[in-house]
Amino acid sequence: MGRKKLEIKPIENKSSRQVTFSKRRNGLIEKARQLSVLCDASVALLVVSASGKLYSFSSGVNLVKILDRYGKQHGDDLKALDRQSKALDCGSHHELLELVERLILTKTLLSFDHRGIRVSCQSMNICSKLEESNVDNVSVGSLVQLEEHLENALSVTRARKTELMLKLVENLKEKEKLLEEENHVLASQMEKSNLVRAEADYMEVSPGQISDINLPIYAAWDSSSGGCGIGGIFSGNNLKRIPNLSEPRSHVSSALMAEAIAVRLAVVTSVYSNVRSLAVLTDSLSLVSLPKKEATQPELFGIMFDIYHALSYFDRISFHFISRTFNGEADLVAKSALTLLSVNSSVGG
């Protein structure tokens, strides 16, 4: 009588199932070992019991190396299998409930309008019903309904996020405006401070003598005609017979240009008059600073070049700021020269 063929079906008895698993697992491992020895093959075996315990066997070569080799040769198949398992396996019922509860709690905290709270509460109710059912499988209808509520809650959250971001942008714009106004105020204060410092550095002088020869100059400029009148008064010790400066000029582009022409006329006239020590006094802070720093501006390049060239003929020369209060004589001479220019232009016209 032959051996009875065993029917292959799940073993219902837990003890018998455990004994059968242990015997057949050992037999499978032995067969794998024999295959490795007989055929000189690299064999890897992985067995996971119903309780989740893992058993493994590898012959000769490390198990990890065999699995890596398999992964390299069947990478595309493994990726497809992984995607399929993720689509089919969404976790246990309790894990799903915990994830949903965390998501809903986050949405509830972020949703402040009534619609968002209502949607979140509906989702919480569904979640509590699912938990009360205490089953491992959730119906498709419940999951679809839960998905709809989660999408609604997500839409409300995104709308709230957009609203908060717009408010943040508005606040940043207001801060930018305040900072620009503050920057404008600080720039004005700095400009005033620089002006005060410049006046202190270049000394506003009174008519008192500060060099062998003082030469207060002034340029009166007419913006409508482009003409200017230059005036200068020589004063000081051991002063030879040097005529005062009084000269009209036409086609002058700016007041700064007129002042620069006046300084050049003062310096050149002093050189030809054999003056070796000179103090030039002007009410233009910009022109006072340029010779001291040996700097220039593009529109004044030619004039300042002449001034710098003439400085080498002096034993001592300085430039000082003087207010119009103390520069009345030069002011009067300059305006007289400008008036003469206007008269001559009218007669010539």
Side-chain angles (χ1 to χ4, degrees), residues 219-229 249 251-255 258 338 341-342:
W221 179 66
D222 184 7
S223 59
S224 60
S225 64
C228 79
R249 288 292 182 94
H251 307 294
V252 180
S253 60
S254 65
L338 179 60
L341 177 65
S342 301

Side-chain angles (χ1 to χ4, degrees), residues 222-254:
D222 184 7
S223 59
S224 60
S225 64
C228 79
I230 299 172
I233 308 296
F234 284 94
S235 65
N237 301 324
N238 301 321
L239 183 63
K240 298 179 181 180
R241 185 60 182 173
I242 303 177
N244 293 329
L245 302 180
S246 178
E247 184 173 320
R249 288 292 182 94
S250 58
H251 307 294
V252 180
S253 60
S254 65

Side-chain angles (χ1 to χ4, degrees), residues 257 260-261 264 299-308:
M257 176 73 74
I261 293 174
R264 180 177 64 180
E299 61 176 320
L300 305 179
F301 181 80
I303 298 175
M304 296 307 299
F305 179 82
D306 294 339
I307 294 174
Y308 293 146

Side-chain angles (χ1 to χ4, degrees), residues 9-17:
K9 65 177 183 179
I11 301 175
E12 300 294 336
N13 186 278
K14 187 175 182 180
S15 299
S16 300
R17 184 168 64 242

Side-chain angles (χ1 to χ4, degrees), residues 147-177:
E147 181 182 10
E148 292 177 353
H149 289 302
L150 285 175
E151 289 179 352
N152 292 335
L154 190 59
S155 299
V156 173
T157 303
R158 287 171 177 167
R160 178 61 178 170
K161 175 185 175 183
T162 303
E163 181 182 355
L164 292 176
M165 291 183 68
L166 290 175
K167 289 183 178 179
L168 179 61
V169 171
E170 291 296 327
N171 292 334
L172 290 176
K173 287 182 178 179
E174 292 179 0
K175 289 182 179 179
E176 181 183 9
K177 185 177 180 181

Side-chain angles (χ1 to χ4, degrees), residues 20-36 43-48 55-59:
T20 302
F21 173 80
S22 178
K23 288 182 178 181
R24 293 198 173 239
R25 181 199 66 210
N26 294 336
L28 184 61
I29 292 176
E30 178 61 23
K31 290 291 184 182
R33 187 189 67 80
Q34 292 175 8
L35 178 63
S36 172
V43 181
L45 178 65
L46 293 175
V47 181
V48 182
Y55 301 88
S56 63
F57 167 80
S58 62
S59 61

Side-chain angles (χ1 to χ4, degrees), residues 83-99:
R83 286 195 297 269
Q84 184 178 2
S85 68
K86 286 182 179 179
L88 295 175
D89 185 17
C90 59
S92 66
H93 175 66
H94 295 290
E95 292 176 346
L96 178 61
L97 287 178
E98 290 177 0
L99 177 61

